């Protein structure tokens, strides 16, 4: 139809990009509604996402079966959208089993091996169980109505029978023998789109190789600046970045500093750079940061490859009171080492299980990670996470029944400590008094300074009488620490800090009592001083130090990234054993230690043979009556506290309740494979990992285990191992995985199971450093990119500037050649 314009069209209001995009979509919808043939083959236009040039990865749909047709997007955004999809590459998801379809007598399914043959264009849609062609999709036009014109584009292909058909293969017929076939033309168009050197603008405006080198030096300077500032968690922008400002912000100031040390850089940056290619704008900074973080995530995905992985998820509020979800991936790398990689942090509108699941699945899908490859889930004990029916772990178990949930061991241990301290009345009162003492002494800066001054005098006196020695890192001046129910190891730290600063604390409390302060302040100080001078307080102080000292070793071990679940269960067993030994043989040593401490600090020691009247302390074994003081401290406090702690550990770390962990312990190589049980290992595979081993492999596994056990007890390299991680690494180092590949696979599955959420907790610590009070308006995507680079700094530092420049060219057309 011939188009015409009236004179008044030149005076109509101009549209901004968003309004123009909406009008194009609206007019396109009206045109389609007039043509029923097009309407049949089309997706609803309301599903077309609003696309912005700086946020393609978040808006574009990766699944070929769900995404809108390319011609439905605004024409002025098409090239940018095509570049984004080409950067993603074909959507080639690896499923354990693709669904069957076709003839009921002889059904067929898609084969993952086809990706290796047609790697440059073939895509698969899990939602439609169909194959698509990425280049043909990107450069397709509206359907003409001719049969077969939109196969592999809009109309899905799923006739798997015609794939393995020799020269009549459907994929080969789609490519075509003619160099000018639609598919080959689309492939050529993709190459032309990515070839910016051949753009018509560059044909008319020829840039010399010297100018291109200058452009690359200028961009490389910005890349190195962005990387350094991110690794140091520094802000990029300044309050005033104009040329007359005395402080233009970290980014520009660092470029100036680099220019002073390098004349080549000074000649091409800032004032000496062309106006249209300075590479210092805020948008360029975000693009470079996003490219670097995308490279880090791509490296993590390549490390995972086709192996199984586990997710570790936790939530926390950031500085701007927005709920952020941290996602960590745990897997076993090629050399047999456990890796826990921080992958993403995303804002969630609420913390319901369904919202968290949708967000996690969206992140995994955008990075070609299949949920069916999950073999573990690690969360804290919140109800939205561990709910048996509607919790996050239950929702994932419906999609992947072999992604077993493991409650964070460190959370379990902390809950056991807190619960044990609250069940016994004297222990509960002790921690209340301890918190009260810390609050009185550290409630003001003046008292804090007095505490440190008293500690300094005490250290100087002890050095004079040679009771302590000098050295680097010892005799540090500290402060009293508070115990928190949610902070791992805080109870033990609080107890140790009071013991180390006991004399200085008493001096400060006596000083507060004698100074001219309010009656309430002096009364609080006098009460706190009396607590510290009571024998029962000192006894419980040292008792809890011994109990929590044993559990603190376990807490620190559980927070290690390389910890496997079998070794963690062994450490729990060792902790229970040590606490039992303390109960049986630790009374005399404990009382001697308490007695020496009381004599040193002039605390009255009661006669243990005197009568102590009590009406049940905690869960007393005695009825109301007369008992000796020794009986009270030994039975009512010492035995009861230890028994309660053992009971809590047994309840929260019961091997009988976790059959998977019990069977997994049969793989332990400790003590020359003493616990290595072939029958239990075969039961473990049959019961918990049936999809990872076919029937023939399950039969072969038993014979492999028999051969391995004989070989391992003779081989010096495999003989003195203690953990399954050492065993897996040794098998790879000695190249015995070729013979015992089934054992290697099983070891990797067990090692993938999570132990604690320590990595997510550390990511939130990094978030507090990055998104501080001065940077509380940071965008979510900018925060995610910054945290990825900051936490996975080893990977970020290994990425070359040349690869970043190559990705930078693909984002959109650049005026300056690179």
């Amino acid at each position: 139809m011939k188009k015409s314009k009236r004179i008044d069209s030149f005076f109509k209001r101009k549209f901004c990009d968003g309004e123009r995009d909406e009008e194009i979509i609206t007019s396109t919808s009206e045109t389609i509604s007039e043509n029923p043939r097009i309407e049949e083959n089309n997706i609803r236009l309301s599903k077309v996402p609003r696309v912005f040039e700086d946020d393609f990865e978040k808006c574009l749909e990766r699944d070929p079966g769900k995404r809108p047709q390319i011609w439905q997007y605004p024409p002025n955004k098409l090239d940018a959208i095509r570049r984004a999809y080409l950067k993603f590459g074909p959507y080639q998801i690896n499923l354990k089993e693709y669904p069957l379809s076709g003839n009921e007598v002889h059904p067929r399914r898609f084969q993952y091996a086809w990706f290796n043959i047609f790697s440059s264009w073939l895509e698969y849609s899990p939602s439609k169980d169909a194959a698509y062609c990425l280049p043909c999709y990107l450069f397709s036009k509206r359907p003409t109505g001719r049969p077969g014109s939109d196969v592999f584009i809009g109309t899905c292909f799923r006739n798997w029978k015609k794939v393995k058909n020799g020269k009549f293969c459907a994929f080969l017929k789609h490519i075509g023998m003619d160099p000018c076939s639609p598919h080959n033309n689309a492939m050529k168009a993709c190459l032309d789109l990515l070839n910016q050197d051949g753009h018509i603008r560059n044909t008319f405006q020829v840039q010399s190789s010297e100018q291109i080198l200058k452009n690359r030096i200028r961009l490389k300077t910005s890349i190195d600046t962005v990387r350094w500032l991110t690794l140091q968690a520094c802000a990029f922008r300044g309050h005033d970045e104009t040329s007359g400002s005395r402080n233009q912000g970290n980014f520009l100031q660092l470029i100036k500093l680099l220019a002073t040390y390098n004349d080549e850089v000074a000649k091409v940056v800032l004032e000496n750079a062309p106006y249209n290619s300075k590479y210092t704008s805020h948008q360029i900074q975000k693009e470079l940061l996003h490219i670097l973080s995308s490279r880090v995530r791509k490296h993590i995905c390549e490390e995972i490859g086709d192996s199984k992985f586990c997710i570790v998820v936790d939530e926390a509020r950031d500085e701007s009171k927005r709920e952020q979800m941290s996602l960590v991936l745990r897997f076993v790398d090629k050399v047999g080492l456990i890796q826990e990689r921080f992958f993403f942090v995303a804002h969630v509108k609420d913390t319901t299980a369904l919202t968290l699941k949708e967000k996690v699945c969206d992140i995994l899908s955008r990075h070609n990670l299949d949920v069916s490859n999950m073999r573990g889930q690690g969360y804290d004990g919140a109800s939205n996470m561990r709910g048996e029916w509607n919790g996050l772990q239950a929702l994932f178990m419906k999609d992947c029944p072999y992604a077993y949930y493991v409650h964070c061991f460190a959370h379990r241990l902390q809950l056991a400590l807190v619960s044990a301290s609250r069940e016994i009345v004297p222990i509960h009162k002790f921690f209340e008094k301890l918190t009260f003492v810390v609050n009185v002494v550290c409630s003001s800066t003046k008292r804090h300074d007095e505490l440190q001054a008293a500690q300094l005098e005490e250290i100087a006196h002890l050095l004079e009488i040679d009771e302590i020695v000098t050295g680097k890192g010892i005799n540090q001046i500290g402060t009293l620490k508070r115990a928190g129910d949610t902070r791992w190891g805080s109870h033990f730290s609080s107890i140790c800090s009071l013991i180390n600063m006991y004399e200085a604390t008493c001096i400060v409390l006596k000083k507060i009592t004698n100074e001219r302060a309010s009656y309430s302040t002096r009364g609080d100080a006098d009460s706190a001083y009396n607590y510290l001078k009571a024998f029962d307080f000192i006894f419980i102080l040292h008792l809890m130090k011994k109990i929590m000292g044993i559990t603190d070793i376990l807490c620190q071990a559980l927070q290690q990234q390389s910890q496997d679940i079998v070794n963690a269960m062994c450490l729990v067993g060792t902790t229970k054993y040590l606490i039992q030994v303390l109960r049986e043989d630790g009374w005399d040593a404990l009382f001697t230690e308490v007695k020496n401490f009381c004599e040193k600090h002039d605390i009255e020691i009661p006669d243990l043979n005197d009568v102590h009247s009590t009406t049940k302390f905690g869960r007393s074994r005695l009825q109301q009556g007369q008992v000796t003081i020794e009986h009270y401290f030994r039975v009512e406090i010492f035995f009861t506290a230890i028994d309660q702690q053992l009971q809590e550990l047994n309840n929260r770390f019961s091997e009988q309740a976790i059959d998977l962990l019990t069977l997994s312990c049969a793989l332990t190589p400790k003590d020359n494979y003493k616990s290595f049980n072939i029958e239990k290992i075969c039961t473990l595979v049959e019961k918990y990992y049936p999809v990872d081993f076919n029937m023939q492999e399950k039969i072969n596994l038993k014979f492999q285990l028999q051969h391995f056990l004989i070989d391992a007890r003779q081989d010096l390299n495999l003989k003195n191992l203690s953990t399954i991680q050492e065993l897996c690494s040794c098998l790879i180092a000695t190249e015995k995985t070729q013979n015992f590949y089934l054992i290697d696979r099983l070891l990797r599955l067990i090692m993938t199971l999570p132990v604690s959420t320590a990595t997510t907790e550390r990511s939130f610590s990094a978030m507090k450093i990055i998104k501080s009070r001065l940077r509380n308006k940071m965008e979510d995507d900018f925060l995610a990119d910054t945290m990825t680079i900051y936490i996975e700094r080893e990977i970020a530092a290994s990425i070359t500037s040349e690869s970043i420049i190559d990705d930078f060219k693909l984002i959109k057309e650049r005026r300056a050649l690179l």
Side-chain angles (χ1 to χ4, degrees):
M1 182 184 294
K2 183 177 180 181
K3 295 183 180 179
S4 61
K5 287 186 178 181
R6 296 189 303 178
I7 189 68
D8 61 347
S9 65
F10 292 96
F11 301 96
K12 286 186 178 180
R13 180 170 65 91
K14 299 291 192 258
F15 294 98
C16 64
D17 287 345
E19 293 172 339
R20 183 60 180 165
D21 294 347
E22 291 177 0
E23 178 158 305
I24 290 171
I25 293 174
T26 303
S27 62
T28 305
S29 178
E30 293 173 356
T31 304
I32 293 172
S33 62
E34 297 173 359
N35 191 338
R37 290 184 304 171
I38 299 177
E39 188 174 8
E40 291 177 0
N41 299 325
N42 226 355
I43 303 173
R44 288 175 58 93
L45 289 171
S46 59
K47 294 184 179 179
V48 178
R50 293 289 303 278
V51 180
F52 300 94
E53 290 188 0
D54 57 344
D55 199 12
F56 285 126
E57 293 189 10
K58 191 174 181 180
C59 297
L60 298 179
E61 176 62 53
R62 294 297 313 279
D63 190 337
K66 295 180 180 180
R67 63 192 177 197
Q69 294 302 307
I70 192 69
W71 49 266
Q72 291 180 255
Y73 287 99
N76 60 331
K77 307 288 186 181
L78 285 181
D79 282 350
I81 294 170
R82 287 165 176 157
R83 287 193 182 91
Y85 272 118
L86 289 173
K87 181 182 177 183
F88 286 139
Y91 190 68
Q92 300 177 344
I93 191 167
N94 184 11
L95 303 181
K96 181 65 179 178
E97 281 190 359
Y98 293 89
L100 292 169
S101 61
N103 190 350
E104 295 182 359
V105 179
H106 190 187
R108 290 174 171 83
R109 58 164 58 99
F110 184 88
Q111 301 295 326
Y112 182 75
W114 295 342
F115 286 139
N116 298 328
I117 303 173
F118 307 100
S119 58
S120 60
W121 62 271
L122 183 60
E123 294 186 299
Y124 176 79
S125 171
S127 61
K128 295 289 184 66
D129 182 29
Y132 292 84
C133 176
L134 178 61
C136 292
Y137 162 76
L138 295 179
F139 291 93
S140 63
K141 298 180 181 180
R142 295 182 184 178
T144 60
R146 182 172 58 84
S149 61
D150 59 344
V151 179
F152 291 96
I153 302 172
T155 304
C156 55
F157 175 85
R158 53 185 307 182
N159 192 355
W160 313 127
K161 178 182 177 180
K162 293 186 177 182
V163 176
K164 293 184 177 181
N165 198 16
K167 63 179 180 179
F168 300 106
C169 172
F171 291 165
L172 295 177
K173 290 178 68 176
H174 170 71
I175 296 174
M177 299 294 292
D178 187 359
C180 296
S181 66
H183 174 83
N184 290 327
N185 287 338
M187 291 290 292
K188 187 176 184 301
C190 292
L191 297 176
D192 292 340
L193 181 65
L194 299 179
N195 183 19
Q196 292 191 22
D197 295 341
H199 195 279
I200 189 171
R201 182 192 301 113
N202 299 326
T203 304
F204 287 105
Q205 184 181 357
V206 179
Q207 299 185 25
S208 64
S209 58
E210 182 181 356
Q211 183 61 40
I212 294 175
L213 180 61
K214 291 181 179 180
N215 296 338
R216 294 181 73 90
I217 293 175
R218 191 183 310 117
L219 180 57
K220 187 176 182 298
T221 304
S222 296
I223 292 172
D224 291 340
T225 304
V226 167
R227 192 193 326 240
W228 190 89
L229 291 175
T230 307
L231 293 177
Q232 300 303 317
C234 297
F236 286 9
R237 307 180 188 179
H239 176 69
D240 182 9
E241 294 187 350
T242 59
S243 57
S245 174
R246 291 185 296 177
N247 185 359
Q248 294 181 304
N250 293 331
F251 185 82
L252 295 178
Q253 293 295 141
L254 185 56
I255 290 181
K256 286 183 178 180
L257 180 63
L258 293 175
T260 59
Y261 284 90
N262 193 318
D263 293 337
E264 291 184 3
V265 174
K267 293 177 182 178
V268 296
V269 298
L270 300 177
E271 294 84 2
N272 297 326
Y275 180 77
N276 61 356
S277 57
K278 289 180 178 292
Y279 303 129
T280 57
S281 67
H282 301 157
Q283 182 62 35
I284 295 295
Q285 296 172 18
K286 289 183 178 180
E287 287 180 2
L288 296 176
L289 185 72
H290 183 67
I291 291 171
L292 186 55
S293 65
S294 298
R295 281 274 177 175
V296 172
R297 296 189 188 103
K298 183 179 179 181
H299 183 276
I300 296 173
C301 292
E302 290 174 351
E303 279 186 325
I304 297 175
D306 297 334
S307 60
K308 310 303 178 182
F309 62 91
C310 158
I311 61 170
V312 183
V313 179
D314 204 354
E315 318 92 44
R317 284 197 308 173
D318 61 15
E319 185 65 28
S320 58
K321 304 298 184 285
R322 292 171 64 85
E323 195 73 27
Q324 303 288 350
M325 181 198 74
S326 175
L327 175 62
V328 172
L329 300 181
R330 178 184 172 98
F331 58 94
V332 181
D333 61 14
K334 295 179 180 179
V335 296
L337 298 178
I338 298 173
Q339 300 291 344
E340 285 189 1
R341 298 292 193 189
F342 173 80
F343 197 70
F344 213 91
V345 63
H347 168 62
V348 288
K349 60 183 180 181
D350 55 60
T351 57
T352 59
L354 185 59
T355 302
L356 296 176
K357 179 180 181 293
E358 291 175 351
K359 183 62 70 173
V360 171
C361 290
D362 177 62
I363 295 172
L364 296 178
S365 175
R366 282 193 277 121
H367 295 87
N368 281 5
L369 294 173
D370 185 24
V371 176
S372 63
N373 283 333
M374 280 175 50
R375 288 298 180 270
Q377 307 174 66
Y379 317 125
D380 56 19
S383 59
N384 65 327
M385 295 295 196
R386 65 178 299 179
E388 186 176 354
W389 303 107
N390 296 316
L392 181 60
Q393 63 94 10
L395 296 180
F396 271 118
M397 286 286 282
K398 292 177 183 177
D399 295 340
C400 184
Y402 306 105
Y404 302 110
Y405 164 65
V406 178
H407 185 186
C408 171
F409 275 43
H411 276 89
R412 287 194 212 179
L413 179 62
Q414 184 67 15
L415 290 172
L417 294 175
V418 172
S419 179
S421 64
R422 288 178 176 173
E423 288 294 327
I424 305 171
V425 175
I427 305 298
H428 179 65
K429 289 183 177 180
F430 162 78
F431 279 108
E432 286 185 341
K433 294 175 182 179
L434 177 62
T435 303
F436 180 76
V437 171
V438 174
N439 290 337
V440 171
V441 175
C442 300
S443 60
S444 68
T445 55
K446 176 184 176 183
R447 296 173 190 174
H448 182 267
D449 292 342
E450 291 175 352
L451 178 67
Q452 292 192 336
Q455 186 184 12
L456 182 62
E457 292 179 1
E458 181 184 3
I459 292 174
H461 173 68
L462 294 175
L463 288 173
E464 288 181 359
I465 61 177
D466 295 331
E467 281 201 17
I468 58 176
V469 296
T470 60
K472 185 177 181 180
I474 61 176
N475 304 325
Q476 296 290 317
I477 298 176
T479 186
L480 297 180
K481 298 179 181 179
R482 288 182 175 85
D485 290 348
T486 58
R487 292 198 303 272
W488 301 341
S490 59
H491 289 76
F492 180 66
S493 299
S494 180
I495 290 172
C496 290
S497 65
L498 179 60
I499 293 177
N500 294 333
M501 304 181 66
Y502 180 84
E503 190 65 34
T505 304
C506 291
I507 293 173
V508 172
L509 292 174
K510 288 176 63 176
K511 190 173 182 180
I512 296 173
T513 305
N514 298 328
E515 68 182 8
R516 293 182 178 180
S518 63
Y519 291 108
S520 61
T521 302
R522 284 182 290 170
D524 290 343
D526 184 63
S527 298
Y529 182 79
N530 291 332
Y531 292 156
L532 294 180
K533 290 297 182 178
F535 178 81
D536 57 346
F537 183 89
I538 300 301
F539 179 84
I540 298 176
L541 179 71
H542 285 78
L543 171 62
M544 298 312 295
K545 177 189 175 184
K546 284 187 174 295
I547 295 176
M548 292 188 173
I550 297 173
T551 58
D552 187 66
I553 301 298
L554 173 61
C555 184
Q556 294 179 14
L558 293 177
Q559 296 179 44
Q560 295 178 7
Q561 174 181 309
S562 60
Q563 192 66 258
D564 62 80
I565 200 163
V566 175
N567 193 48
M569 289 301 298
C570 293
L571 290 173
V572 172
T574 304
T575 302
K576 294 178 185 178
Y577 172 76
L578 292 176
I579 295 178
Q580 184 65 34
V581 171
L582 175 65
R583 186 188 191 281
E584 296 173 358
D585 305 324
W587 166 257
D588 293 334
L590 173 65
F591 189 79
T592 302
E593 183 179 346
V594 173
K595 184 179 179 181
N596 294 336
F597 187 88
C598 292
E599 292 174 351
K600 179 179 179 181
H601 298 283
D602 299 328
I603 299 173
E604 182 181 356
I605 303 175
D607 187 356
L608 298 183
N609 296 321
D610 286 349
V611 176
H612 183 280
S613 179
T614 177
T615 57
K616 277 192 176 182
F617 283 86
R619 296 184 177 179
S620 175
R621 297 174 184 161
L622 299 176
Q623 301 297 324
Q624 181 177 358
Q626 301 294 325
V627 296
T628 63
I629 294 178
E630 180 181 4
H631 181 276
Y632 167 71
F633 283 108
R634 185 168 189 170
V635 177
E636 300 291 334
I637 297 180
F638 180 74
F639 286 159
T640 306
I642 294 177
D643 290 344
Q644 186 64 36
Q645 187 65 70
L646 284 173
Q647 181 181 348
E648 288 294 331
L649 289 175
N650 288 327
N651 291 340
R652 298 184 184 276
F653 295 96
S654 174
E655 294 185 13
Q656 287 74 22
I658 311 175
D659 187 41
L660 171 62
L661 303 184
T662 305
L663 294 175
S664 300
C665 291
L667 286 163
T668 306
K670 189 181 295 184
D671 298 331
N672 199 18
Y673 301 87
K674 180 180 179 181
S675 303
F676 210 82
N677 191 314
I678 296 178
E679 294 300 327
K680 286 186 177 181
I681 295 173
C682 293
T683 304
L684 172 68
V685 172
E686 187 70 35
K687 189 173 182 180
Y688 291 100
Y689 298 105
V691 297
D692 295 301
F693 298 85
N694 58 39
M695 291 302 300
Q696 186 62 41
E697 288 176 338
K698 292 175 185 176
I699 297 173
N700 293 339
L701 176 62
K702 185 173 183 178
F703 298 103
Q704 271 199 24
L705 289 169
Q706 294 173 353
H707 285 281
F708 170 77
L709 193 57
I710 297 173
D711 187 26
R713 287 174 174 172
Q714 296 175 353
D715 193 331
L716 295 178
N717 295 321
L718 299 172
K719 198 171 184 179
N720 299 319
L721 304 178
S722 58
T723 65
I724 62 173
Q725 181 177 214
E726 294 177 357
L727 175 58
C728 185
S729 300
C730 189
L731 285 176
I732 296 173
T734 56
E735 299 182 353
K736 291 192 175 183
T737 52
Q738 299 176 1
N739 299 328
F740 307 115
Y741 61 94
L742 296 177
I743 300 175
D744 176 71
R745 187 189 307 171
L746 181 58
L747 290 173
R748 289 174 178 271
L749 290 171
I750 298 300
M751 291 162 61
T752 303
L753 290 172
V755 175
S756 74
T757 60
T759 307
T760 58
E761 299 291 348
R762 294 188 187 101
S763 69
F764 292 135
S765 299
M767 183 175 67
K768 290 182 179 180
I769 297 173
I770 294 169
K771 193 169 184 177
S772 59
R773 183 177 60 86
L774 297 178
R775 305 177 72 187
N776 61 358
K777 293 184 179 180
M778 184 183 294
E779 298 175 354
D780 294 328
D781 292 337
F782 190 75
L783 174 63
D785 293 339
T786 304
M787 287 183 61
T788 302
I789 298 169
Y790 179 81
I791 297 174
E792 300 297 338
R793 53 181 58 239
E794 294 84 3
I795 301 176
S798 65
I799 297 172
T800 63
S801 299
E802 302 299 326
S803 62
I804 298 176
I805 293 175
D806 293 338
D807 288 348
F808 183 76
K809 292 191 298 182
L810 297 178
I811 295 179
K812 62 181 181 180
E813 296 176 3
R814 306 290 177 181
R815 292 184 178 274
L817 284 181
L818 296 169

